[in-house]
Structure formats: C-alpha cells, structure tokens
C-alpha cells in the first residue's frame, strides 16, 4: 500500500523539478536574448513562469516526471527545451555556446544555494547530517515539524541540480555540452563541429549513450558533491 509520505515527497520532488527545469531553460532564453536571439523571449521562455515551458514540452515536464516517480526506482526525470534561431547560432557560435552553458550554470547556482541553506540550517540546529544519504536525504530535520519539509526540499534541490548541471555538460548532442564545448574551438572549427553533430542524426543515439555513460559516473559525482557539502567526510 502506498503511504501518504510517498505522495508528499513526490509533490516536493515535482515542485523542485519544475522550478529547477524552468530556471535552466529560462537561463538559456535569457542568455540568448542578451546575445541577440529573441526566439525564446518571444515564446515566453525567458521567464521563471513554468507555464510556457510546460506548454512547449508537456510530455517532458508533466507526464514523464510523474511516471518516473511512480515507477521503481521512484526517481523523477524529465526535460524541457528553449527554442533558438539556428541562423543566429551560425553567425555567433560563441554567443550560442554561452547560451548553451547558461542552463547548467543556473543548475549549479541552485545547487550551491541549496548547499548554503543546508549548512545554515545545520548551524542553527534545524538540520543535522544523516547517517546515510539518498536522493531525498542529504540533510535531516533535527526535530519533527516544518524543518522536515525544508530539509527534504533542500536535499532534493541540491541533488537534482547537481544531476541536471553535470548531465547536461556531457559533450554529446542534444545536450548543452555539445554546443558549450565549442568555446574551446576557433569559430570555423566550431561551425564544422556543430554541422557534423547536428546533421548526422545523433540526437536520440547521443542521449542514450550519454545516459548509459552518466549512470556509470554519477556515483562519483554524487560522492564528490557530498564531500564539498560536508568537508572532511568520506562518502562511498
């Protein structure tokens, strides 16, 4: 029988997912606008309002997150996207690379803020470090009550944004890292790389390969993020 806690934690997961994904795509849209591409801005994506993002990607923003939480192993995943002008990307490949990296930067910023919130909560004795950690338990409430909600929400915010930020940095299409890595190239080389990666139909194959690879390395990334959150502690 499904407990009420399962639905309560699922609601927190979805709120955090919606907020984090909206910040990610909103950062893309804002960076594109600052770089001269108004496509996402005119679509309403340069905003922290989740509605335009849900309208653009209802499957990835609503259906998949709910299904992946309900089904084992009960972890919430999904996606969204912000439109851009391919002609603008060809004219300004470096601006496009900055636009691509803006999403992961937003996720890392949220993870840092969540970590600061956890550390402040510990300093005030509202939170304590758990004996064992999981996706929803990076911090625990020192006593039952409202602190339990905040400890859970900040834990999910921390883990989810570490996951979103690092996963999207993988340099394979259609992830942000595939465009972001062109900052390390000359403009002609960047255009050749983008033409090759976009025109070979690598999208779905790249996503599957990225997920398989990430599944092998996320444990190390997760452990490293916990060491940064709790310096001097070894997590295996």
């Amino acid at each position: 029988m499904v407990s009420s806690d399962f639905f309560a934690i699922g609601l927190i997961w979805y709120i955090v997912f919606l907020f984090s994904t909206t910040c990610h795509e909103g950062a893309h849209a804002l960076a594109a606008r600052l770089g001269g591409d108004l496509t996402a801005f005119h679509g309403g994506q340069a905003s922290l309002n989740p509605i335009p993002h849900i309208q653009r990607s209802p499957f990835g923003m609503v259906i998949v997150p709910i299904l992946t939480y309900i089904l084992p192993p009960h972890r919430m995943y999904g996606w969204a996207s912000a439109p851009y002008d391919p002609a603008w990307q060809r004219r300004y490949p470096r601006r496009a690379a900055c636009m691509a990296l803006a999403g992961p930067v937003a996720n890392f910023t949220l993870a840092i803020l969540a970590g600061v919130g956890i550390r402040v909560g510990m300093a005030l004795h509202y939170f304590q470090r758990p004996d064992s950690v999981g996706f929803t338990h990076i911090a625990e409430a020192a006593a039952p009550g409202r602190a339990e909600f905040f400890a859970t929400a900040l834990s999910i915010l921390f883990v989810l944004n570490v996951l979103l930020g690092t996963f999207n940095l993988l340099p394979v299409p259609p992830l942000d890292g595939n465009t972001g890595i062109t900052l390390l190239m000359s403009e002609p080389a960047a255009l050749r790389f983008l033409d090759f990666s976009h025109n070979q139909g690598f999208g779905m194959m790249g996503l599957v390969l990225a997920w398989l690879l990430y599944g092998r390395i996320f444990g190390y990334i997760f452990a490293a993020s916990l060491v940064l959150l709790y310096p001097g502690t070894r997590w295996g």
Side-chain angles (χ1 to χ4, degrees):
M1 183 176 179
V2 178
S3 69
S4 58
D5 285 349
F6 179 81
F7 289 107
I9 293 175
L11 180 60
I12 297 173
W13 261 105
Y14 187 66
I15 292 171
V16 172
F17 166 81
L18 204 62
F19 175 67
S20 302
T21 307
T22 298
C23 287
H24 179 104
E25 299 303 333
H28 283 319
L30 179 59
R33 181 189 181 190
L34 293 174
D37 179 12
L38 301 180
T39 306
F41 173 73
H42 289 316
Q45 278 82 29
S47 165
L48 293 182
N49 179 1
I51 300 301
H53 302 281
I54 292 173
Q55 290 174 335
R56 178 172 170 81
S57 306
F59 196 68
M61 289 284 280
V62 180
I63 298 173
V64 170
I66 292 173
L67 286 178
T68 52
Y69 181 75
I70 292 173
L71 299 174
H74 309 299
R75 294 176 182 175
M76 190 171 289
Y77 303 111
W79 65 84
S81 65
Y84 68 94
D85 181 1
W88 170 79
Q89 183 185 51
R90 291 196 62 80
R91 286 196 303 272
Y92 307 107
R94 295 194 180 281
R95 296 185 192 180
C98 291
M99 178 268 290
L101 293 175
V105 167
N107 292 131
F108 292 136
T109 301
L110 290 177
I112 290 170
L113 291 175
V116 170
I118 289 170
R119 296 296 297 183
V120 169
M122 291 180 65
L124 296 175
H125 305 293
Y126 290 129
F127 305 152
Q128 61 189 13
R129 185 168 57 189
D131 294 329
S132 61
V133 297
F135 266 37
T136 58
H137 297 291
I138 304 301
E140 288 185 348
R146 252 184 302 181
E148 289 181 293
F149 170 83
F150 289 110
T152 300
L154 288 173
S155 295
I156 295 172
L157 187 66
F158 180 83
V159 175
L160 182 59
N161 280 281
V162 168
L163 189 156
L164 287 172
T166 53
F167 179 72
N168 277 285
L169 283 181
L170 293 177
V172 296
L175 302 180
D176 300 327
N178 187 68
T179 301
I181 199 173
T182 60
L183 273 180
L184 304 176
M185 307 175 188
S186 66
E187 288 199 6
L191 290 174
R192 289 195 298 271
F193 176 80
L194 291 173
D195 286 341
F196 175 77
S197 60
H198 290 172
N199 294 335
Q200 296 299 315
F202 289 150
M204 183 56 67
M205 183 177 69
L207 196 58
V208 171
L209 290 175
W211 191 250
L212 292 174
L213 171 63
Y214 194 74
R216 294 177 177 272
I217 64 175
F218 179 67
Y220 300 102
I221 295 170
F222 187 41
S225 68
L226 292 177
V227 169
L228 292 174
L229 181 61
Y230 298 119
T233 302
R234 293 186 61 184
W235 300 91

